[in-house]
Every structure is written in C-alpha cells, then in structure tokens.
Amino acid sequence: MKIDVIISANDIKEEKIKGKTVVVIDMLRATSVITTALNNGCKKVIPVLTVEEAKEIAKNSKDSCILGGERNAVKIDGFDFSNSPLDYKKDVAKDKVLIMTTSNGTRAINACINANNILIGAMLNAKAAAKRVVEINNDLVIVNSGTAGEFSMDDFICGGYIIQCIKDYVNVEMTDIAKTSHYIYECNNNVIDFIKGAKHYNRLKELGLEDDLTYCCSKDIISIVPEYKNGCILNGIPKSKVHENK
Ligand code: MLT
C-alpha cells in the first residue's frame, strides 16, 4: 500500500486523491466532533461550506436536525452547538442529523469528493481508521485539514499515528512527507506535549477549551470510522478482522 500526505485543505488536488482512499483529519476539532457525535447515536452528519447552506438544509429537512460548528473556533450565531466534541453527548446527538460547518475540516471533506473512499479520522479513532484502510486495501492519501490553509502540527502527528497503526497490519510504501509524518509521531509519543506549540492549540487554550484539547488527544477511545458518501457522513463499522503485521 502506498501512503501520501496532503498538509492542508488548500493543498488538495484532484489528481492526488482520485481513485484513492483518503482519511481526512482535523483532530482539533471537526473530525473529533464528527466521530464523537456518530458514536453517540447521531444518524448522520452533513458537512457544508457555509452558514447559510447549513441553515437552509435544517429549514427544509424532515429529520430532527441540530446545527453545529464554528467560525474562528467560536459558536456561530443562531446555531445550536459549537465545535466542541464535548457538546455532542448521547442526549444531544442521539437520532439527530448534525448539519455542520467549520473553517477547515468540513472544507477539506468536501474537497475530497473524487476519492474512492472518504474516511474520517482523529486521534479518537485512529486504530479503527487504520483497520478500515487496510480492509479497503487501496492506496491511501492522508488529508490534513490544517489551519487557515496552512500546515498544522496537530493533524500531522495524528496522521503519523494512523500510519503507525497501518504499519502494524501491512507493509507500506511512503512518500517523503508520509515518512516525516510517521517519524514525528515516533519521536513524540506524548501528543499533547508536541502540539503545545501549534497555533490552533493555543487559540483553543486562549478560549479556555483545555477539556477539548485533552479529549481530542485521547487515543483510540472510539472504534467507529465515519465515512462520507453523497453529501453525508455515516457511521461505518469495520466489517472483517485484519491480522497484525507483528
Ligand atoms: C476547523 O474545522 O477549522 C476546526 O475544527 C476549528 C475548531 O477547532 O473549531
């Protein structure tokens, strides 16, 4: 299996992802929200680009919808919830459709529509995402959402951890950037310590969101792998067992 890495939503190019499996990562915090909400019984997540689009879908839907997301990491006016994964507990998420717009994560997901499979990854479900990638058995591009179109340390180390988990099952051929992402993870087992220097980590800290930071850095506490298809993200459950390469 070949593995490549894209470093921000602005760097997604059709020729790089076409026909591949992609894992989209925005560990702080969009893909942590999606994974948590679906794990807590949310029916589906609809990731959209604009606030207007989100409100329009909610208005015309027959389902029971909640609006969630952020701009500049802050809850959007008129929305039900913010972009904190801790907002999406069972009592909020169960049987709801979450319509979501965020600055980077939902943008990255929507930019990947030409990939074969679009999986949603975070620290929370890294091992499960790796297993699903191995089951699909296609070349992989890890798409880091990044921050404001730029590289972000948090997504990069998270991708490195997913690569490590994949390497436990199969042999891989990595591009230089994928090797570097994996190397960063290998050298920094304490994820929080590494991402303390990241711009977005500090933005969230400034807003008093330390609990979100701790939660989003928790490894493998969720075993579902959300998958985006035809405008919706559903809870994909790994089907078969794969054997470790150890
Ligand atoms: C995003 O999609 O840009 C983020 O998840 C921002 C945030 O942490 O709220």
Side-chain angles (χ1 to χ4, degrees):
M1 178 186 297
K2 290 186 182 158
I3 304 183
D4 195 6
V5 173
I6 288 175
I7 60 158
S8 88
N10 281 19
D11 294 290
I12 301 167
K13 292 195 184 92
E14 191 186 330
E15 66 269 23
K16 286 235 167 195
I17 57 168
K18 200 167 182 184
K20 308 267 172 67
T21 299
V22 303
V23 176
V24 181
I25 300 173
D26 185 355
M27 66 164 281
L28 299 179
R29 299 165 291 171
T31 59
S32 297
V33 167
I34 295 165
T35 305
T36 302
L38 288 168
N39 192 50
N40 283 338
C42 172
K43 256 208 242 170
K44 63 180 167 187
V45 178
I46 304 179
V48 298
L49 298 178
T50 67
V51 171
E52 295 68 35
E53 204 184 340
K55 288 184 174 166
E56 196 59 28
I57 295 172
K59 203 171 80 190
N60 297 322
S61 173
K62 291 190 191 81
D63 287 306
S64 172
C65 296
I66 48 176
L67 286 167
E70 56 71 41
R71 285 298 179 264
N72 205 13
V74 175
K75 182 169 166 280
I76 297 163
D77 263 359
F79 271 37
D80 302 302
F81 298 98
S82 74
N83 199 36
S84 167
L86 303 175
D87 281 356
Y88 300 88
K89 302 236 159 53
K90 280 202 171 74
D91 56 333
V92 162
K94 192 144 180 32
D95 299 326
K96 296 288 195 312
V97 171
L98 167 59
I99 304 161
M100 182 178 179
T101 180
T102 70
S103 312
N104 305 285
T106 56
R107 203 156 64 81
I109 295 165
N110 279 289
C112 287
I113 48 167
N114 291 310
N116 257 19
N117 292 80
I118 304 167
L119 309 179
I120 304 300
M123 274 293 166
L124 304 174
N125 71 339
K127 209 170 252 180
K131 277 192 193 171
R132 183 73 188 117
V133 166
V134 173
E135 278 174 357
I136 295 169
N137 193 21
N138 188 10
D139 290 341
L140 169 68
V141 181
I142 294 181
V143 173
N144 294 341
S145 301
T147 303
E150 289 177 5
F151 173 85
S152 65
M153 296 163 79
D154 35 285
D155 292 338
F156 201 57
I157 193 166
C158 180
Y161 178 47
I162 293 175
I163 293 172
Q164 176 56 54
C165 296
I166 294 169
K167 278 166 66 65
D168 287 341
Y169 297 106
V170 290
N171 296 324
V172 299
E173 191 186 315
M174 293 181 276
T175 57
D176 284 9
I177 185 87
K179 279 181 191 161
T180 310
S181 174
H182 178 242
Y183 175 73
I184 289 294
Y185 174 72
E186 274 192 319
C187 299
N188 294 281
N189 248 277
N190 186 325
V191 173
I192 279 232
D193 268 0
F194 177 72
I195 68 173
K196 270 185 180 144
K199 187 174 170 187
H200 194 54
Y201 179 99
N202 286 293
R203 169 73 184 144
L204 296 177
K205 200 168 160 218
E206 216 176 81
L207 292 169
L209 296 167
E210 281 91 350
D211 290 350
D212 277 14
L213 293 166
T214 309
Y215 175 75
C216 292
C217 290
S218 316
K219 280 183 194 165
D220 303 316
I221 58 168
I222 292 179
S223 59
I224 65 149
V225 186
E227 185 156 356
Y228 176 89
K229 248 185 214 141
N230 306 324
C232 294
I233 306 171
L234 300 172
N235 175 354
I237 297 156
K239 290 176 205 83
S240 63
K241 287 196 168 55
V242 286
H243 301 286
E244 291 200 30
N245 193 20
K246 280 181 184 161

